[in-house]
Amino acid sequence: MRHFLYLTNSRLVSMVTQGKRIAARREFAVSGAGAGEFERYLAGVVDIPTHLFVDLSEEDFRLDTIPHVGARDREAIVARKLSQIFRSSPYRYAVMQGREPEGRRDDRVIYTAITNPELLRPWVDAIERHAIPLVGIYSAAVFSAMLLEELDLVFAHTLLVTFTPGQAMRQTYFRDGEIKFSRLTPVDLEEGQTLGMMVAEETTRTWQYLDSLRHFSGDDRLEVCVLVHPSDRPAVQPELRDFAQIQYRLVDMEQASMKLGLKPAPLDSTDEEVLVHLFLMRPAANHFASPELRRFASLRRARLALNQVSIAILAAGVAWGGYNVFRAFQGNQAEQQLVRSIATLDREYDEITRALPSFGVGGSTMRDVVAFYNASIRSFPSLPEFLVPVSRVLQAQPDVRLSQLAWQATDDPKAMPTMTAGGVKPNVNVQSVAKSEGSAPQQPPAELNANPPYAGGKYEVALLEASVRVGGNDFRGALDRVQKLAEAIGQIPGYRCEVVESPLDVRTSLAITGRHSGSDPASMEARFVLRVMRERVVT
Amino acid sequence: MSTTVIAAAGARNLRVSWVLLGLSIAAAIAIVLGSQWYRERESRESTSAQRRLSEATGRVEAARRERDSLQESAEVFRTLLERGLLQGEHRLDLVEMVNSLRVRHGLFSLDYEIAPQRTLQLPGGRVYPALEVLASRVKVKLRALHEGDVLGFVQDLGQSRQGFYPIDRCLMRRVEAPADALQPHVEAECAFEWITLKDKNANRAS
């Protein structure tokens, strides 16, 4: 919501806007009574930012050029010029209008001021007393340049003619869209004079004035744009006749309002509502109000900014907090899901545990028992199983007589079971004399170790002591028979067999004794020892 | 001068706004810190739950593996239980069994010796965490008419339905005697381990 005041020499119009439309309008007479009424009225619009447009005949314009300098210096020059030209008025303003096309290319400036500040005093004092946030004081003439732009009425030489509340006509001259001059004339029609006649007379007079100031060349033509309500059009249009130097353009107030989006359109030819609406569309910078006059607006802006910052911080905090809570909530939901999963897993664990075959012992015990059985007992060798294939081979050798068998299950592939001495007494005339090596051990079978380690049984080793019946002194035949027997046993799958003691050891490292007397026997029993080994196949 | 006026008026005019700003900042900080604390607490709890889930998953997987493993070996274990592997030594049973085998196989004589029970040293120093492997060394000396009787005795002993008696040594020797005489023709000396197992966990539980 904003509050606009439009001050002329005879009326003060108050317009309160909401959004882009004028929501309330009230007029006050420029008089003591009007000022009192206005002061009472202000009590209801205390906190609304207020903009004051002035459209007074006491507004003066001066054109000038200043050297093109830096911004800071330019401000100083302009301020000094303003104070020199308009010494008695605090309401002064300078419009920078670009640079001269030639010469030093100085900056073009137009100075404007309300030359009689007393006209504003009662209103500004009332605003001050009520601490109204005055955003700015604007020159209606300067601001009306925007109207030309919005209505596409920018010509090389344009004279904008508008009517103000309180029966006055403002003529503002623009060259290439830049304001150069403006004057306000009371609409004080003489008898028989129409509004159109007055407009024609006044605009012609203004042309003459501008021409005297050499604003026009010979070919220039002044485009006079008159903003007029349809109700006044019949009184104006017939009197406006174009000349070579002047061309009139009647700008229909309703059409202009439609183009600007002003609804509803003004009911008469006064331009205050159009300018206010234009200001809402294209806000302008302050023209005349000093910082002190604008302090309540500044404070209000600061307060709003602080409040907005407060709200923003609070909103950011709430948003951040909300995000944290949201994430925490998500985490909480995920945690609940996890807890449910854990409970499910715990139930499954309990079910598995309950369903485990326990047999009264723990799972590890059961596992160890089975592992021990598989590793140490299940495949442990058996003597009968070992002997069955060997026996089949021996049965095929009727001349071989087994006298002693020493069998051992062991993990040592070089193990040599212990036999007892005196199993076979060979009846041979020739014998090798064994020292100790190479013969089967013949020790008492007693185990010296009272705590022998468990025989893993990877190997089965057996010593077979036997004799073979051959012809007398047929040692060659005996050796051959024993060798063939060993080979036959060795051919059993998984068996290996070697001759440990042969019927006659003919190695050169041993001694041989022979005793022949009388006649040799027809046959002899030749002793030998075989070592048979079987390796357990691990499945 | 004007700046001073604005500053003085502004201080009064904006006092509430400044207070509101301070309160907003404080409230925002409190909200953020509080919510952050709550979120971190939830995060910690979630992490803890993740850890517990991981543990529970591991526990269940271990239980599944144990179940699968035990189901495979349950039948074996049942058989071993029935054979008294976990029941300790009942020496009288062994005495009776050996006597019955002697009678069954018509042995002429049977001498045996059962050594004190000891912890059995396994190959490679292998140890079972839940088991103590005990064994008593048993030596038998027997005389028989025929080696088949000896082998039958050994076979029956090894296949006994009660206990495990892995025979690791055997010496069989022919005894000289007239072939048709009713005298021992074979004598044998065998040794085996009488193995029993002890559940370490049972001791711990008790």
Side-chain angles (χ1 to χ4, degrees):
Chain A
M1 184 180 285
R2 295 187 186 203
H3 185 201
F4 291 89
L5 297 171
Y6 198 95
L7 178 65
T8 66
N9 288 88
S10 58
R11 308 293 294 175
L12 175 71
V13 181
S14 164
M15 290 161 282
V16 177
T17 62
Q18 257 182 334
K20 296 289 184 187
R21 57 181 288 273
I22 297 169
R25 174 190 173 103
R26 188 164 174 186
E27 292 191 21
F28 304 91
V30 175
S31 63
E37 194 179 350
F38 175 70
E39 185 141 8
R40 287 190 295 276
Y41 166 76
L42 278 183
V45 291
V46 168
D47 200 40
I48 303 175
T50 300
H51 307 262
L52 173 59
F53 280 86
V54 290
D55 202 347
L56 301 169
S57 58
E58 287 79 2
E59 184 175 358
D60 195 6
F61 295 87
R62 302 280 180 88
L63 289 171
D64 191 15
T65 59
I66 59 174
H68 182 69
V69 293
R72 190 183 296 267
D73 292 337
R74 184 171 65 239
E75 283 179 18
I77 293 171
V78 167
R80 192 174 66 248
K81 289 265 188 175
L82 279 172
S83 63
Q84 287 172 351
I85 300 169
F86 305 113
R87 184 181 302 276
S88 61
S89 173
Y91 306 114
R92 52 202 184 199
Y93 181 62
V95 183
M96 303 304 298
Q97 295 187 319
R99 302 178 65 180
E100 291 284 356
E102 297 172 351
R104 289 190 310 176
R105 300 198 67 218
D106 286 345
D107 289 332
R108 294 194 304 274
V109 190
I110 183 168
Y111 306 110
T112 177
I114 307 299
T115 53
N116 183 6
E118 292 303 315
L119 293 175
L120 271 74
R121 181 184 297 277
W123 316 104
V124 171
D125 286 350
I127 289 171
E128 282 279 290
R129 278 193 295 276
H130 286 85
I132 301 289
L134 181 65
V135 180
I137 301 176
Y138 310 91
S139 163
V142 173
F143 183 73
S144 62
M146 289 188 185
L147 185 61
L148 294 181
E149 292 176 16
E150 289 296 323
L151 297 179
D152 297 326
L153 296 175
V154 178
F155 304 102
H157 302 275
T158 310
L159 184 68
L160 176 63
V161 178
T162 55
F163 296 95
T164 68
Q167 297 294 308
M169 181 183 80
R170 176 165 290 282
Q171 300 172 80
T172 308
Y173 168 64
F174 298 90
R175 190 164 71 195
D176 295 325
E178 296 174 355
I179 184 171
K180 300 298 179 185
F181 167 77
S182 186
R183 64 188 282 256
L184 190 70
T185 311
V187 179
D188 190 11
L189 300 178
E190 296 174 2
E191 192 171 345
Q193 186 184 28
T194 64
L195 183 61
M197 292 167 67
M198 180 200 165
V199 170
E201 289 171 8
E202 289 298 327
T203 53
T204 302
R205 196 171 294 139
T206 299
W207 179 87
Q208 289 170 345
Y209 171 72
L210 293 173
D211 188 50
S212 70
L213 296 178
R214 301 182 182 280
H215 279 291
F216 307 125
S217 62
D219 298 332
D220 288 338
R221 186 172 61 180
L222 182 64
E223 304 285 343
V224 180
C225 303
V226 184
L227 184 62
V228 66
H229 192 270
S231 60
D232 292 328
R233 191 179 185 105
V236 175
Q237 190 171 18
E239 306 301 331
L240 303 180
R241 294 186 180 84
D242 295 341
F243 299 94
Q245 294 80 12
I246 297 177
Q247 180 172 2
Y248 290 97
R249 296 172 183 271
L250 284 184
V251 180
D252 189 285
M253 178 65 84
E254 288 185 346
Q255 290 180 0
S257 298
M258 188 180 299
K259 190 168 186 177
L260 296 173
L262 172 59
K263 292 177 183 176
L267 299 175
D268 55 21
S269 294
T270 57
D271 65 344
E272 74 279 5
E273 292 186 11
V274 173
L275 292 183
V276 164
H277 182 75
L278 195 58
F279 187 91
L280 290 173
M281 291 170 61
R282 297 176 60 177
N286 165 56
H287 294 164
F288 297 131
S290 64
E292 186 180 353
L293 285 177
R294 300 172 63 212
R295 68 185 184 279
F296 293 115
S298 300
L299 289 173
R300 182 180 181 277
R301 205 162 46 243
R303 190 173 67 245
L304 287 177
L306 281 174
N307 291 345
Q308 285 169 352
V309 169
S310 300
I311 291 169
I313 288 173
L314 197 59
V318 169
W320 193 344
Y323 175 73
N324 281 338
V325 170
F326 171 70
R327 292 301 302 267
F329 183 68
Q330 277 188 326
N332 185 275
Q333 282 187 321
E335 184 194 338
Q336 294 302 320
Q337 183 66 34
L338 289 176
V339 168
R340 284 194 290 275
S341 300
I342 291 170
T344 304
L345 287 171
D346 285 344
R347 277 197 301 277
E348 185 180 356
Y349 177 77
D350 291 342
E351 288 168 5
I352 290 174
T353 307
R354 275 197 300 273
L356 284 178
S358 68
F359 301 105
V361 297
S364 59
T365 303
M366 193 185 299
R367 237 185 343 266
D368 282 358
V369 167
V370 174
F372 170 74
Y373 171 76
N374 288 335
S376 303
I377 297 181
R378 191 182 67 175
S379 303
F380 197 83
S382 160
L383 175 60
E385 290 177 8
F386 176 82
L387 285 181
V388 167
V390 177
S391 297
R392 287 199 198 100
V393 175
L394 290 175
Q395 280 175 353
Q397 307 285 337
D399 294 334
V400 175
R401 185 168 181 267
L402 183 65
S403 59
Q404 190 173 177
L405 165 73
W407 173 88
Q408 181 181 354
T410 179
D411 286 339
D412 180 10
K414 296 178 181 175
M416 195 69 84
T418 306
M419 293 195 303
T420 57
V424 175
K425 292 185 174 60
N427 58 341
V428 294
N429 296 328
V430 181
Q431 283 185 303
S432 58
V433 180
K435 292 179 179 175
S436 61
E437 56 182 283
S439 60
Q442 295 182 341
Q443 298 288 336
E447 291 172 320
L448 296 176
N449 189 355
N451 184 15
Y454 183 64
K458 187 176 179 185
Y459 302 98
E460 294 172 79
V461 182
L463 290 179
L464 276 67
E465 185 190 49
S467 59
V468 59
R469 182 186 297 277
V470 293
N473 291 325
D474 184 11
F475 288 100
R476 198 173 296 277
L479 286 172
D480 183 54
R481 293 284 300 279
V482 170
Q483 189 59 40
K484 284 182 176 172
L485 176 62
E487 289 173 0
I489 293 173
Q491 286 176 351
I492 301 170
Y495 283 70
R496 278 182 281 170
C497 182
E498 59 180 333
V499 180
V500 177
E501 292 183 34
S502 66
L504 181 63
D505 197 333
V506 294
R507 285 180 294 174
T508 56
S509 58
L510 299 178
I512 293 179
T513 61
R515 180 174 293 167
H516 297 276
S517 61
S519 60
D520 290 334
S523 64
M524 66 176 186
E525 297 282 340
R527 178 183 175 276
F528 63 93
V529 176
L530 299 179
R531 183 177 185 272
V532 181
M533 188 176 78
R534 181 169 75 163
E535 184 176 358
R536 186 175 69 193
V537 178
V538 179
T539 56
Chain B
M1 177 64 182
S2 64
T3 306
T4 308
V5 172
I6 290 173
R12 287 191 302 275
N13 201 306
L14 298 178
R15 188 178 299 148
V16 175
S17 295
W18 282 114
V19 169
L20 283 177
L21 178 62
L23 289 176
S24 298
I25 292 171
I29 290 172
I31 289 170
V32 168
L33 290 181
S35 62
Q36 193 75 23
W37 172 83
Y38 177 58
R39 182 182 169 186
E40 286 172 1
R41 196 192 69 174
E42 287 297 324
S43 175
R44 282 195 300 274
E45 289 181 358
S46 182
T47 305
S48 169
Q50 283 278 10
R51 193 181 63 252
R52 284 187 282 127
L53 177 68
S54 176
E55 291 170 356
T57 304
R59 209 163 48 237
V60 167
E61 286 177 356
R64 285 174 183 157
R65 283 196 300 272
E66 185 170 357
R67 178 189 61 192
D68 297 342
S69 167
L70 291 181
Q71 279 175 348
E72 288 173 7
S73 56
E75 288 306 313
V76 178
F77 184 75
R78 181 179 288 113
T79 305
L80 299 179
L81 273 187
E82 289 169 0
R83 291 182 67 170
L85 197 61
L86 277 169
Q87 290 179 0
E89 281 188 4
H90 298 290
R91 294 200 165 195
L92 191 56
D93 292 347
L94 180 64
V95 169
E96 290 173 352
M97 185 185 71
V98 169
N99 278 334
S100 69
L101 289 177
R102 183 185 67 84
V103 172
R104 183 188 305 168
H105 295 286
L107 303 180
F108 283 92
S109 68
L110 174 64
D111 302 331
Y112 56 85
E113 175 190 332
I114 306 174
Q117 192 181 47
R118 71 193 193 285
T119 300
L120 188 60
Q121 298 175 36
L122 297 175
R126 185 170 181 181
V127 173
Y128 292 93
L131 285 182
E132 188 175 4
V133 182
L134 303 173
S136 296
R137 189 73 177 164
V138 180
K139 295 174 184 173
V140 295
K141 187 173 181 180
L142 49 95
R143 296 167 73 88
L145 185 63
H146 186 265
E147 62 266 23
D149 296 331
V150 175
L151 292 177
F153 174 85
V154 169
Q155 178 118 8
D156 285 355
L157 191 64
Q159 294 179 347
S160 168
R161 299 187 66 80
Q162 282 296 318
F164 288 92
Y165 314 102
I167 297 172
D168 56 65
R169 285 175 185 272
C170 230
L171 173 66
M172 292 170 59
R173 190 173 52 190
R174 192 179 298 280
V175 178
E176 292 301 332
D180 55 349
L182 193 59
Q183 292 179 10
H185 287 169
V186 177
E187 66 178 10
E189 294 177 33
C190 296
F192 60 88
E193 299 287 356
W194 179 12
I195 295 175
T196 52
L197 302 177
K198 191 173 180 183
D199 184 2
K200 291 179 184 174
N201 294 331
N203 289 340
R204 200 173 302 142
S206 64

